[in-house]
């Protein structure tokens, strides 16, 4: 089978397409024929090993000192169960499934082996593999961040970095909670953000959101680039500040701010609960949530896709059409 190997830590050029043996299922495992994967900023950060300093050393030990211990990256996956190992009960060959490979990764290949207990669930009828693959990272984190804000109807939330995979879900979920949503991202993403329900949009390349007249009940900083003290200053008393990609200095500042008890600052990524994946997929199937797909790349063009995502121009999700059937719905 074909698989894209990350041969060392570095720029997109370290990704190399190789012919490798197709995996066979062990007891308790399933082998998935991959139809769609994605490229997230997290995938790019792992490939380049540009991680926050507080997690750098443990992550290096976990992933591999000189190069990735698991050379096949890709954390979001959708496809069809090809074969199952002994004692597998949740799935059978032919089942359409999607989910997260987590830090075990492996989605950038024609076939992937995962434990039956992995964060996998069935794809609803009528949903494409591309749509399903777009859900785990963006959907789970967007849902988690909005839940942490405990929004009340009529409150105002600002979402920094709203135009990516996490932001597209966070905007819709915050709006569904009854909030007024202010979305911050590049101007070219504003039309999409308005279509998802954003009430106001800010172009961060033209205006610093913390210098404007607005005040907010909650802020979700997905990209982790908002200055902490200025962001806290535009929160109302009792406001909630969620750091989606925190740096060490921000985490320390958050702990100090929490001692003052004027606002509540939080930093915690989502888990991979199947129940949350099921909630999100049903919301999408029912039309309550929408997936935005920017563009698709072939597996062979994965380095180009990584470069595109790193440039920050991605609007919504970036799809890797592994099989040529990523948009098939059954």
């Amino acid at each position: 089978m074909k698989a894209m190997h990350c041969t060392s830590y570095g720029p997109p050029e370290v990704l190399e397409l190789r012919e490798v043996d197709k995996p066979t299922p062990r007891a308790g495992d399933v082998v998935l024929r991959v139809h769609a994967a994605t490229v997230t900023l997290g995938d790019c950060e792992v490939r380049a090993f540009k991680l926050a300093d507080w997690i750098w050393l443990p992550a290096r030990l976990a992933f591999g000192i000189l190069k990735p211990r698991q050379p096949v990256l890709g954390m979001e996956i959708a496809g069809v169960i090809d074969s199952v190992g002994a004692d597998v009960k949740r799935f059978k060959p032919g089942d359409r499934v999607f989910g997260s490979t987590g830090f075990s990764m492996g989605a950038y290949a024609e076939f992937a082996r995962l434990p039956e207990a992995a964060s996998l669930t069935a794809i609803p009828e009528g949903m494409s593999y591309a749509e399903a693959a777009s859900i785990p990272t963006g959907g789970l984190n967007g849902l988690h961040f909005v839940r942490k804000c405990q929004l009340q109807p009529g409150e105002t939330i600002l979402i920094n970095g709203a135009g990516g995979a996490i932001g597209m879900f966070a905007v819709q979920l915050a709006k569904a909670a009854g909030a007024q949503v202010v979305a911050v991202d590049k101007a070219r993403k504003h039309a999409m953000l308005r279509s998802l329900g954003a009430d106001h949009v800010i172009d961060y390349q033209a205006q610093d959101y913390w210098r404007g007249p607005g005040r907010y009940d909650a802020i979700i900083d997905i990209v982790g680039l908002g200055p902490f003290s200025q962001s806290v200053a535009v929160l109302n008393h009792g406001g909630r500040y969620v750091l989606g990609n925190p740096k060490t200095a921000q985490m320390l500042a958050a702990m100090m701010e929490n001692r003052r008890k004027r606002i509540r600052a939080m930093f915690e990524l989502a888990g991979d609960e199947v129940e949350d994946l099921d909630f999100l997929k049903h919301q999408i199937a029912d039309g309550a949530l929408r997936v935005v797909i920017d563009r698709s790349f072939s597996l062979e063009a994965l380095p180009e896709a990584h470069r595109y995502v790193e440039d920050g121009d991605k609007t919504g999700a970036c799809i890797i059409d592994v099989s040529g059937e990523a948009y098939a719905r059954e």
Side-chain angles (χ1 to χ4, degrees), residues 30 49 70 124 140 176 281 301:
V30 300
F49 216 86
Q70 160 57 289
L140 291 173
K281 77 181 185 185

Side-chain angles (χ1 to χ4, degrees), residues 73-280:
L73 307 182
M75 291 186 279
E76 295 183 299
I77 196 166
V80 175
I81 298 294
D82 180 73
S83 57
V84 301
D87 303 322
V88 170
K89 296 180 175 60
R90 289 180 61 206
F91 305 110
K92 64 183 184 303
D95 286 348
R96 301 171 72 240
V97 299
F98 77 100
S100 171
T101 65
F103 290 114
S104 298
M105 303 194 202
Y108 296 158
E110 292 182 310
F111 293 87
R113 181 172 58 204
L114 296 168
E116 179 190 21
S119 183
L120 288 174
T121 188
I123 299 175
E125 183 178 351
M127 181 180 290
S128 71
Y129 298 106
E131 290 170 317
S134 305
I135 297 172
T137 299
L140 291 173
N141 281 286
L143 178 63
H144 175 71
F145 294 154
V146 171
R147 283 175 172 172
K148 296 294 283 185
C149 289
Q150 297 181 326
L151 293 169
Q152 300 299 312
E155 289 191 319
T156 300
I157 182 172
L158 180 138
I159 301 173
N160 188 29
I166 297 174
M168 71 174 170
F169 283 102
V171 166
Q172 295 176 85
L173 291 163
K175 191 65 183 174
Q180 292 286 307
V181 178
V182 179
V184 181
D185 216 308
K186 292 181 178 179
R188 64 181 295 271
K189 304 183 184 184
H190 286 183
M192 181 273 287
L193 291 167
R194 289 191 180 96
S195 75
L196 295 180
D199 298 284
H200 305 282
V201 291
I202 296 174
D203 177 6
Y204 72 84
Q205 294 177 314
Q207 176 188 346
D208 295 328
Y209 68 79
W210 60 89
R211 299 185 192 277
R215 296 190 66 85
Y216 309 100
D217 299 293
I219 294 175
I220 299 175
D221 187 1
I222 295 168
V223 292
L225 297 178
F228 187 90
S229 58
Q230 290 95 323
S231 297
V232 168
V234 295
L235 277 171
N236 293 323
H237 185 83
R240 288 80 69 198
Y241 187 24
V242 177
L243 292 159
N245 188 19
K247 313 300 186 289
T248 300
Q250 293 174 317
M251 294 167 67
L252 293 172
M255 289 186 281
M256 292 297 294
E257 187 64 39
N258 286 340
R259 295 181 65 180
R260 300 186 181 98
K261 298 184 178 181
R262 191 188 77 83
I263 63 103
R264 183 158 49 94
M266 297 161 278
F267 44 89
E268 176 189 307
L269 292 178
D272 288 329
E273 289 79 6
V274 172
E275 294 81 4
D276 288 338
L277 284 178
D278 286 338
F279 168 79
L280 290 163

